Amino acid sequence: MDALGKPNAERRRCAFCGQHMAADLKQCPFCREAVPQVKLSRRTGLNGRRQIRRGLLYMLLGAVIHYFASGYGDPIRLPFSPSVLSLITQYLTPVLFLGGLGLTAYGLILSAKS
């Protein structure tokens, strides 16, 4: 709150004289200059780059999990039984990798549309 008891969200500074004034005024009451109304807009729609990055991250995650679950990372052993590891390497990591591939393709389509 400011000295007048109004919340600061309802007040702003004049771009010309620097005095505080109400946010809805179009002209400064102190210097009588017309204050431009600035409207900020966010980009609407889906962002293809975000989907591409997420898809590539899922593909990398699937590849790393498959690498260690298959036993190629010799000093690091996962503490699961062989039946669980075979389930991971045969079904779960390919699904994760292909899901990431699909998400990357979807992001490429979105970025091509925009």
Side-chain angles (χ1 to χ4, degrees):
M1 294 216 152
D2 62 357
L4 298 176
K6 292 185 179 180
N8 288 334
E10 296 177 7
R11 301 183 60 78
R12 65 179 176 158
R13 286 183 169 252
C14 174
F16 300 100
C17 68
Q19 296 290 329
H20 288 282
M21 60 181 217
D24 59 341
L25 294 179
K26 295 180 181 174
Q27 185 177 9
C28 178
F30 302 104
C31 65
R32 304 283 184 215
E33 289 287 333
V35 179
Q37 299 290 327
V38 178
K39 301 250 181 191
L40 299 176
S41 63
R42 296 189 65 176
R43 182 177 173 191
T44 58
L46 297 174
N47 191 358
R49 289 184 179 184
R50 177 184 292 169
Q51 304 300 329
I52 293 170
R53 282 191 304 246
R54 187 176 294 160
L56 290 174
L57 180 67
Y58 289 165
M59 290 169 59
L60 178 66
L61 181 65
V64 168
I65 291 173
H66 187 81
Y67 177 78
F68 285 110
S70 297
Y72 292 117
D74 193 27
I76 299 175
R77 295 278 183 208
L78 296 178
F80 297 114
S81 66
S83 62
V84 173
L85 290 177
S86 66
L87 176 74
I88 290 172
T89 58
Q90 289 180 1
Y91 297 109
L92 298 180
T93 55
V95 167
L96 184 61
F97 185 83
L98 292 176
L101 185 64
L103 197 57
T104 302
Y106 176 64
L108 289 171
I109 291 170
L110 284 179
S111 65
K113 281 185 177 180
S114 62

